[in-house]
Amino acid sequence: LELKRMSVSREHRGHGLAQALCREVLSFARARGYSAVVLSTSMVQVAAQRLYEGQGFRRVGASYPSLLGTLLNFQIFHYRCELGGGT
């Protein structure tokens, strides 16, 4: 299962909503037999990286989104959370 574009508005940050949403995605995926959840986030989204790593995601790679990204050394980090068994 791929998690795409999860966001919490600024006025609602800091209340655990992102953690709850992430737990819900992992629970949803497990209940449907997925073996893992994958996602990507940019190198500048440090809070997102901490959130995902705290939820059990591990960084499995990095890539550059474009030639300009390569020139600017702007990377996209790829994460995976193994759920055990399933699809």
Side-chain angles (χ1 to χ4, degrees):
L1 184 115
E2 183 177 12
L3 174 57
K4 300 239 354 163
R5 295 182 180 94
M6 185 174 78
S7 180
V8 174
S9 62
R10 289 191 191 281
E11 64 269 13
H12 294 101
R13 291 180 187 167
H15 302 288
L17 293 174
Q19 290 175 333
L21 285 168
C22 196
R23 283 192 305 268
E24 187 63 27
V25 167
L26 295 173
S27 177
F28 176 93
R30 277 190 194 95
R32 283 152 184 82
Y34 287 93
S35 60
V37 175
V38 297
L39 62 87
S40 298
T41 192
S42 76
M43 63 186 285
V44 298
Q45 294 174 299
V46 177
Q49 293 168 41
R50 282 195 306 263
L51 167 71
Y52 298 133
E53 290 168 4
Q55 296 291 318
F57 285 83
R58 298 293 167 245
R59 192 181 307 174
V60 294
S63 64
Y64 296 98
S66 63
L67 178 58
L68 180 59
T70 302
L71 294 171
L72 297 174
N73 196 32
F74 181 84
Q75 292 184 309
I76 301 296
F77 296 147
H78 307 287
Y79 283 86
R80 181 177 183 93
C81 182
E82 297 293 337
L83 303 175
T87 311

